[in-house]
Amino acid sequence: MADYNEESNRLTIKIVYYGPALSGKTTNIMRLHDLIAPQLKGEIMTLETQNDRTLFFDLLPLAFTASTGLLIKFKLFTVPGQVAHDGTRKAVLSRADGVVFVADSQRSQSVNNGESFDNLAENVHRVGLDLDRLPLVVQFNKRDQTNILSEAEISQRWSAASWPIVFASALHGDGVVDTFSQLLAQVHRNLDTEFQLVSKHGIEQRSFVESACATIG
């Protein structure tokens, strides 16, 4: 859950990128990092295995200051997709304010996508979050690859889902900011309930999203 420090007038928000191994979670964060103005972004931290798979998590802090003086900081994490690291996934997911589920659009990865989303639902419950209330965006990444599911097929398969679906190619930056902004719109809803962003701090949903995305360029 977001951490509000009244003394320093700072609100820290935790966003987690979740999904199967090699679906492009780290690439999403790297593209955001590339776009953020240098004076507004923190150092990206990565830990990788010898075969370039993220072992623990990536952490990218970014921030903006609202007109009322409230400093809003975002901490973006990815989880390791490999099955062996479920304990780490739960630890990173704990107290998340929003989740981007990064699926792989390639037909060969449909089973992995399903298993990873089931794992997300299970771990959300285990860390005490509510999937029905948790801000969530599903991103189908790797649209630049061959032998991918069509947008119509994906929309049909996910027609019963209530979460927004974004089609992306994080490798080329397509859909990365759109995914982030759609998640923030949902995050604002929950944070306004808890921290009175509108009534106390004068931060409407639109300005919240636009201010955060303005730091990305």
Side-chain angles (χ1 to χ4, degrees), residues 161-188:
S162 58
W163 308 287
I165 294 176
V166 178
F167 298 100
S169 171
L171 184 65
H172 301 289
D174 300 334
V176 171
V177 177
D178 186 29
T179 299
F180 188 58
S181 64
Q182 290 205 41
L183 182 68
L184 293 190
Q186 297 180 53
V187 168
H188 180 277

Side-chain angles (χ1 to χ4, degrees), residues 14-69:
K14 182 178 184 181
I15 304 295
V16 176
Y17 283 69
Y18 208 99
L22 299 178
S23 63
K25 303 177 294 295
T26 298
T27 307
N28 265 269
I29 286 189
M30 295 298 289
R31 293 290 80 78
L32 287 173
H33 187 262
D34 291 342
L35 295 169
I36 296 171
Q39 70 274 17
L40 299 175
K41 63 184 175 185
E43 182 178 358
I44 191 167
M45 300 170 57
T46 63
L47 293 171
E48 299 177 341
T49 62
Q50 59 182 357
N51 57 358
D52 288 339
R53 293 185 175 185
T54 308
L55 179 57
F56 291 109
F57 56 81
D58 305 322
L59 167 62
L60 167 63
L62 62 95
F64 74 91
T65 303
S67 59
T68 55

Side-chain angles (χ1 to χ4, degrees), residues 99-103 117 136-140 158 163-167:
V99 172
V100 173
F101 181 78
V102 182
F117 194 87
L136 174 65
V137 171
V138 177
Q139 180 197 84
F140 270 84
W158 286 75
W163 308 287
I165 294 176
V166 178
F167 298 100

Side-chain angles (χ1 to χ4, degrees), residues 49-175:
T49 62
Q50 59 182 357
N51 57 358
D52 288 339
R53 293 185 175 185
T54 308
L55 179 57
F56 291 109
F57 56 81
D58 305 322
L59 167 62
L60 167 63
L62 62 95
F64 74 91
T65 303
S67 59
T68 55
L70 177 66
L71 174 63
I72 297 180
K73 295 188 68 176
F74 298 90
K75 290 187 176 180
L76 278 60
F77 296 82
T78 71
V79 300
Q82 297 92 326
V83 174
H85 299 302
D86 194 48
T88 303
R89 283 197 293 275
K90 286 198 288 285
V92 175
L93 187 62
S94 178
R95 299 179 62 83
D97 297 296
V99 172
V100 173
F101 181 78
V102 182
D104 190 323
S105 294
Q106 297 177 97
R107 291 183 181 279
S108 60
Q109 297 302 309
S110 294
V111 172
N112 288 338
N113 290 334
E115 290 178 347
S116 181
F117 194 87
D118 289 344
N119 177 258
L120 168 63
E122 182 178 343
N123 282 341
V124 162
H125 177 70
R126 286 181 174 177
V127 300
L129 299 173
D130 183 349
L131 191 61
D132 292 332
R133 297 189 67 254
L134 180 68
L136 174 65
V137 171
V138 177
Q139 180 197 84
F140 270 84
N141 188 29
K142 298 191 177 181
R143 302 306 296 170
D144 54 295
Q145 296 294 305
T146 58
N147 198 23
I148 58 176
L149 294 168
S150 70
E151 294 189 8
E153 288 175 297
I154 292 170
S155 297
Q156 192 278 328
R157 292 185 182 188
W158 286 75
S159 60
S162 58
W163 308 287
I165 294 176
V166 178
F167 298 100
S169 171
L171 184 65
H172 301 289
D174 300 334

